[in-house]
Amino acid sequence: MILTSREMKALEERAFADGITAEALMEEAGRKIAETVRQFYPFPGKCIVVFGKGHNGGDALVAARHLAEAGWTLEWKPAFPEDKWAPLTRQNWEVVRDIATGPDGRHCILSRPGPQPVIILDGLLGIGAGGALRPPILDATREINRLRATSNARVFAIDLPTGLDSETGAADPDTVIADYTLTISFAKQPLLADAAARFVGRLAVLPLEELSKRASGGNPDGVATAEELQSTLPRRNFDMHKGQCGRVGIVAGSRGFVGAAIMSAEACVRAGAGLITLFATENIYLIVVSAIGPEVMVKPVQSYLEVLEAKTDVLAIGPGLGSGHASEVRQIIEQAPQPMVVDADALNILSDSIHLLDRCAGPRLLTPHPGEMARLDPKSKDRSRRETVEAFTTRWPHTLLLKGSRTLIGQRDHPFSYNTTGSPGMATGGMGDILTGVCAALAGQGLSLYDAARVGAWLCGRAAELAVTVGDESEESLTPTLLFRYLGRAFQDLRAGKG
Ligand SMILES: NC(=O)C1=CN([C@@H]2O[C@H](COP(=O)(O)OP(=O)(O)OC[C@H]3O[C@@H](n4cnc5c(N)ncnc54)[C@H](OP(=O)(O)O)[C@@H]3O)[C@@H](O)[C@H]2O)[C@@H](O)CC1
Ligand SMILES: [K+]
């Protein structure tokens, strides 16, 4: 469920009317903020706490207290003098200011070699924000953005990045550029505006028990969190065999683009498919077999139409395919009864004959990036991402995953689902090929294409963020195949409802 800030305030009021205190809500919010920070940065470092006078600042102070208890060093940057603070904000300051922080031996500090993380908590404004930023908040947001630009500090916005209008989602020019936004209780509508993604960054929703149980109404769209997706991933029975984990056929690769085929097939292996066959035409067959992992079967074909005769449960078509086999690709998309992931060049081929989507023999998941989307639907250039997915899924009976920093998944009669995970390190060619393989593997294991898309996007984004937080990668060094190293951990986190 996604709420407007107004709906969030009304929900809060209902809880207050039932005797729930703001203090209790703030305590839970602050504790969960600290837990989430520690999920991304398990080893303590320095936390710069930038806070305003309202309850957003109070959340930051509670979170800081929990971080200090876990061994983090704190640095304070209040935006207002103490006499301007809300009573609850001041109350939490009185508790936290006396906690000695830093490596003083009072806390058990697990450290690791290498630079310690530096994070900034943006506790300046939350759902009480409105209009253009005013001093002294304005000076504080500029300081956060300056620190982010000139150091390796990672910014965690509490509830909303300060500067994003809490009702409209319009961004002030000095809006805090957050790497992570930890939003309290429910995702707020303004966080999902197209223009907000660059300020919001990785989104985490921290449910508060007393508010969750009182929630009603709201927008049925959803944000895909681990907790939300957890139950869609089936547990395996001990006596399961490979035939039950999905036979996946992949149609991908062409001269000069065999890497795309290899990456999607290997991603399929790493996401649990039982048997993977890559169909390769003779002109690339030898290159592919010499480079691909031994788990993938490579079948030489004269024509891709042989795919229609092969025994498969799920197909994926398109990565690196080029435009040379357009008629065969169209026939496969139209005639194969199996669920199919349609990506990359197959989407470009499809855009010339989009009406065959009305005649497909099985369900299709299309995974365009915005450029491919504009070829499938030229009107998408003038629409928001949400409108684009809505227009497509209203017209066609298939699943759409619109890639982007806030990947959006839609299917008729299903809630629109925004992905939360990811890293700017994913801005490199080949990430989409990995996603195709992962989605096909998940569909092979029995997930609907809608769930395969939601879980696949979540897992790939989670693997990427793990690589640059708990792993040793940077946003620059991250490559698509490096995701394989972290996919296992991403699956574990999903099952644990973590992240
Ligand atoms: N909802 C929930 O259930 C829970 C909510 N919780 C937390 O409380 C947060 C909301 O707290 P809040 O209501 O105290 O408002 P908050 O955003 O801290 O500050 C508002 C003050 O800022 C000012 N101001 C406004 N706009 C401005 C601008 N453009 N430029 C400059 N200044 C501006 C304005 O002051 P003024 O200038 O009008 O004097 C106003 O008084 C919420 O986001 C969440 O973090 C949790 O604790 C637990 C459960
Ligand atoms: K904030």
Side-chain angles (χ1 to χ4, degrees):
M1 190 195 293
I2 297 170
L3 299 185
T4 63
S5 293
R6 203 184 303 270
E7 287 166 337
M8 190 68 230
K9 284 177 206 158
L11 175 57
E12 193 181 28
E13 287 306 321
R14 287 207 293 281
F16 292 157
D18 290 345
I20 307 300
T21 63
E23 188 177 358
L25 295 179
M26 189 178 284
E27 187 56 38
E28 189 180 353
R31 176 173 54 78
K32 289 190 168 163
I33 291 163
E35 280 168 10
T36 310
V37 168
R38 294 181 65 204
Q39 237 185 60
F40 289 105
Y41 296 97
F43 298 101
K46 182 164 105 172
C47 172
I48 304 170
V49 190
V50 189
F51 60 104
K53 61 185 174 178
H55 285 185
N56 196 248
D59 289 355
L61 294 172
V62 176
R65 190 179 84 231
H66 287 281
L67 288 174
E69 283 165 4
W72 287 70
T73 307
L74 304 179
E75 185 181 317
W76 305 111
K77 285 187 185 286
F80 293 91
E82 220 173 310
D83 60 339
K84 298 268 196 290
W85 301 356
L88 197 47
T89 306
R90 185 201 303 268
Q91 186 181 314
N92 277 299
W93 167 251
E94 276 156 18
V95 182
V96 75
R97 71 171 172 202
D98 295 327
I99 296 181
T101 69
D104 59 0
R106 281 168 36 132
H107 306 296
C108 168
I109 295 168
L110 294 168
S111 200
R112 68 168 187 176
Q116 291 197 328
V118 178
I119 66 158
I120 301 172
L121 285 185
D122 161 23
L124 288 165
L125 297 178
I127 55 173
L133 286 173
R134 304 184 292 273
I137 297 286
L138 174 63
D139 309 296
T141 64
R142 287 182 174 160
E143 173 67 0
I144 292 176
N145 286 341
R146 189 192 65 75
L147 279 170
R148 181 182 185 274
T150 56
S151 72
N152 197 31
R154 303 283 139 163
V155 178
F156 283 79
I158 298 178
D159 218 9
L160 300 166
T162 298
L164 207 62
D165 189 285
S166 64
E167 287 302 334
T168 65
D172 184 279
D174 290 293
T175 298
V176 164
I177 300 173
D179 298 286
Y180 306 83
T181 292
L182 314 185
T183 199
I184 315 295
S185 204
F186 287 94
K188 319 292 183 301
Q189 198 77 57
L191 298 172
L192 300 162
D194 289 350
R198 66 176 290 238
F199 301 105
V200 172
R202 173 25 163 128
L203 183 58
V205 183
L206 317 185
L208 301 188
E209 212 177 304
E210 293 296 345
L211 297 182
S212 299
K213 63 187 185 200
R214 288 176 172 78
S216 60
N219 175 339
D221 291 359
V223 289
T225 60
E227 209 181 8
E228 181 102 13
L229 296 176
Q230 194 176 22
S231 60
T232 58
L233 196 63
R235 286 296 305 271
R236 292 186 173 197
N237 292 332
F238 190 69
D239 58 355
M240 228 172 147
H241 61 76
K242 63 191 176 206
Q244 295 167 318
C245 296
R247 296 176 178 84
V248 179
I250 299 181
V251 180
S254 58
R255 272 180 71 86
F257 297 98
V258 293
I262 293 170
M263 285 191 282
S264 50
E266 290 186 348
C268 198
V269 174
R270 294 286 295 179
L275 288 159
I276 299 105
T277 305
L278 176 63
F279 296 89
T281 47
E282 293 288 358
N283 62 335
I284 59 166
Y285 177 77
L286 283 178
I287 312 167
V288 170
V289 283
S290 62
I292 202 161
E295 299 87 351
V296 180
M297 294 174 282
V298 186
K299 184 164 172 33
V301 289
Q302 299 290 334
S303 155
Y304 283 126
L305 293 180
E306 291 174 45
V307 170
L308 292 170
E309 310 302 323
K311 190 173 180 204
T312 58
D313 303 310
V314 170
L315 291 170
I317 188 164
L321 200 55
S323 55
H325 296 268
S327 142
E328 293 159 33
V329 169
R330 280 191 212 101
Q331 284 186 63
I332 294 169
I333 295 175
E334 185 177 343
Q335 292 172 16
Q338 300 91 330
M340 188 186 303
V341 184
V342 183
D343 185 30
D345 290 318
L347 292 170
N348 296 333
I349 292 169
L350 187 60
S351 58
D352 292 335
S353 41
I354 187 97
H355 285 277
L356 72 78
L357 284 178
D358 273 330
R359 305 189 296 269
C360 291
R364 307 293 180 241
L365 162 62
L366 280 67
T367 58
H369 59 56
E372 289 157 348
M373 190 70 231
R375 286 190 279 280
L376 287 168
D377 173 11
K379 289 189 187 146
S380 69
K381 284 188 239 160
D382 306 316
R383 291 183 172 135
S384 71
R385 290 170 57 81
R386 169 76 168 65
E387 287 165 348
T388 297
V389 177
E390 184 166 25
F392 185 91
T393 53
T394 302
R395 172 63 188 87
W396 310 107
H398 299 290
T399 313
L400 185 72
L401 178 154
L402 180 57
K403 288 172 188 159
S405 46
R406 186 79 58 224
T407 290
L408 177 57
I409 291 130
Q411 185 181 316
R412 197 181 290 171
D413 301 328
H414 290 62
F416 293 91
S417 179
Y418 294 86
N419 189 40
T420 50
T421 58
S423 156
M426 299 179 87
T428 180
M431 288 292 176
D433 306 326
I434 305 283
L435 177 70
T436 294
V438 171
C439 290
L442 293 168
Q445 289 163 89
L447 274 71
S448 68
L449 288 178
Y450 173 76
D451 284 340
R454 295 196 306 154
V455 173
W458 190 93
L459 287 171
C460 290
R462 181 69 175 158
E465 67 196 26
L466 286 168
V468 298
T469 53
V470 301
D472 284 328
E473 299 307 326
S474 73
E475 287 160 1
E476 295 78 8
S477 72
L478 189 64
T479 64
T481 50
L482 275 170
L483 296 196
F484 296 156
R485 204 177 287 171
Y486 298 92
L487 259 182
R489 172 76 189 274
F491 270 101
Q492 288 176 15
D493 287 349
L494 187 74
R495 280 235 163 74
K498 209 171 110 184

